[in-house]
Amino acid sequence: MTKGKQWSPEWESFQDRFTDVTITQLTNYTGHSHHLYFTENGWYKNGNKLLFCSDRENKTNLFSIDLRTGDILQLTDHDQTFGSLSPCLHPSGDRAYFRRNQKIIEINLQTLDEQLLYEGPASLIGGNLNCTADGKYVITCNREDFSNQFKIDLGNGYVGHRELMEAKPKAQIIKISTEDGTSEIVYEEENFITHINTSPQKSDLITFCHEGPWQLVDHRIWGLDLETGDAWKIRERKEEQEMVGHEYWHPDGEHIGYHGFRKNGTAFFGKISYDNKNMEEIEFAFRNWHAHSHGFSKVVVDGRAPSDKLVIWSRQDGEFSGPKLLCEHRCSFHVQKVHAHPRFSPDGKKLLFTSDKNGYGNLYLIDLPEDIDALPDYTI
């Protein structure tokens, strides 16, 4: 058993070669490590600890790093390699949930005790996990399995991505009691549903998406009332084949961030409230993979090669600066585990990302400069 094993600090700091911004590489192991999906907060214990996943000793497990000392604690000990554990924190920060195939497991982050919370049907494929704002439910989704009809490998190259969209699998959104594990199907339809995101403030409100190539999917971002089962479109297309996605909640639990591309290829990031009010979008002239923001005061995107940089904007007095070069990421994006997925810390003072620039995925943390405007302008 290696649960509870302490791993010595692996971190080291260096200056970005373009901007001199200090970056701390948090992990350094001959195997992929990555932070939680960028829509999911991994900081807990007053921001002093961070959850992450790592493939060590040929197994995929959940770990925690102490950001004061660099000490790494192995939280789980499971003997399989997984594409994703889909972990999420309980709002209390004292427990977390992760997926092992059809099983959803709760782990106490103090004692490391685990218990089975829910096990879905073997015939269905389970999706990501989120906790409601009040901590009473874990929300997830299940979908029909078509792997016996065509090749599916979504974590390694999006194989079967379009085929699943076109097949319209039977899908359901489920809420599972964190108290006793009882479950209820709150929404069903025939569509490729993924990206369950719970509002961090409104316990009855989530977003989900219709997955598929963004320019082809019928509509990407949907809202859902967990109490009534009512679903609605959020941020409809302005033009044919416009691409919008990678949605995430702002901390206020009212607004949703996203990014996309116009039909002519122009990129943009934006925000909108869940009731389709207060939309605001900013365009920029290069391609990116993801976007994240701290509210709408700081926004970061991860540029695509050859522009393999993290680019940041800051907003003061209602106006955004021009794009500023934060650092290079040199991330391959070859598989899901090594997507950069930049994510601001809850206080907006740090930025976390994953990169395999050294051959294996590792976590990197930046203490953001106080004056973002002092960074060099980003030019293509």
Side-chain angles (χ1 to χ4, degrees), residues 176-199:
I176 304 159
S177 169
T178 56
E179 182 66 30
D180 59 17
T182 55
S183 63
E184 176 187 351
I185 297 171
V186 293
Y187 184 77
E188 291 183 285
E189 65 169 314
E190 292 186 359
N191 246 309
F192 181 12
I193 289 178
T194 62
H195 287 275
I196 303 300
N197 286 324
T198 55
S199 164

Side-chain angles (χ1 to χ4, degrees), residues 207-210 219-223 232-235 244-247 256-258 272:
T207 60
F208 66 94
C209 84
H210 285 177
H219 180 77
R220 166 73 186 203
I221 309 172
W222 294 79
W232 62 95
K233 294 179 180 180
I234 298 175
R235 202 324 189 149
V244 180
H246 282 150
E247 61 279 0
I256 297 154
Y258 56 87
I272 193 170

Side-chain angles (χ1 to χ4, degrees), residues 143-336:
R143 63 168 169 81
E144 194 174 1
D145 185 5
F146 282 100
S147 59
N148 62 342
Q149 299 183 37
F150 49 85
K151 179 67 175 176
I152 301 173
D153 190 2
L154 300 177
N156 301 301
Y158 293 99
V159 176
H161 191 233
R162 178 170 179 169
E163 291 84 349
L164 269 171
M165 177 194 73
E166 293 173 343
K168 293 187 177 296
K170 295 177 182 177
Q172 51 192 214
I173 296 174
I174 303 164
K175 67 177 184 180
I176 304 159
S177 169
T178 56
E179 182 66 30
D180 59 17
T182 55
S183 63
E184 176 187 351
I185 297 171
V186 293
Y187 184 77
E188 291 183 285
E189 65 169 314
E190 292 186 359
N191 246 309
F192 181 12
I193 289 178
T194 62
H195 287 275
I196 303 300
N197 286 324
T198 55
S199 164
Q201 301 294 335
K202 295 180 176 292
S203 299
D204 58 351
L205 182 61
I206 74 166
T207 60
F208 66 94
C209 84
H210 285 177
E211 185 64 275
W214 289 7
Q215 76 276 20
L216 300 178
V217 73
D218 62 340
H219 180 77
R220 166 73 186 203
I221 309 172
W222 294 79
L224 178 68
D225 187 314
L226 294 173
E227 294 300 317
T228 66
D230 292 334
W232 62 95
K233 294 179 180 180
I234 298 175
R235 202 324 189 149
E236 293 201 58
R237 279 192 183 99
K238 297 180 179 180
E239 59 183 1
E240 183 182 358
Q241 294 195 329
E242 185 180 54
M243 303 166 69
V244 180
H246 282 150
E247 61 279 0
Y248 60 92
W249 286 98
H250 286 194
D252 65 7
E254 300 269 347
H255 291 88
I256 297 154
Y258 56 87
H259 76 101
F261 308 97
R262 313 283 186 214
K263 188 176 181 179
N264 66 5
T266 300
F268 61 92
F269 62 80
K271 73 172 179 74
I272 193 170
S273 61
Y274 69 90
D275 57 2
N276 283 299
K277 298 177 181 178
N278 307 317
M279 187 177 75
E280 186 175 354
E281 295 179 349
I282 305 296
E283 294 185 346
F284 54 97
F286 61 94
R287 301 286 283 188
N288 67 297
W289 289 89
H290 308 88
H292 194 248
S293 66
H294 180 64
F296 213 48
S297 62
K298 300 173 187 173
V299 181
V300 67
V301 302
D302 47 359
R304 297 190 184 191
S307 301
D308 54 352
K309 310 293 192 296
L310 293 180
V311 181
I312 192 167
W313 289 256
S314 64
R315 188 179 197 180
Q316 300 203 4
D317 300 324
E319 296 293 327
F320 275 102
S321 65
K324 299 290 183 176
L325 174 57
L326 180 60
C327 67
E328 66 174 346
H329 60 70
R330 287 183 48 220
C331 188
S332 74
F333 299 88
H334 183 63
V335 297
Q336 279 286 336

Side-chain angles (χ1 to χ4, degrees), residues 60-62 76-82 84-85 98-105:
T60 303
N61 278 293
L62 191 62
T76 65
D77 182 32
H78 293 262
D79 291 327
Q80 290 178 273
T81 302
F82 278 81
S84 176
L85 300 177
F98 62 94
R99 177 180 287 284
R100 291 285 185 177
N101 294 323
Q102 286 82 14
K103 295 180 179 179
I104 296 175
I105 299 167

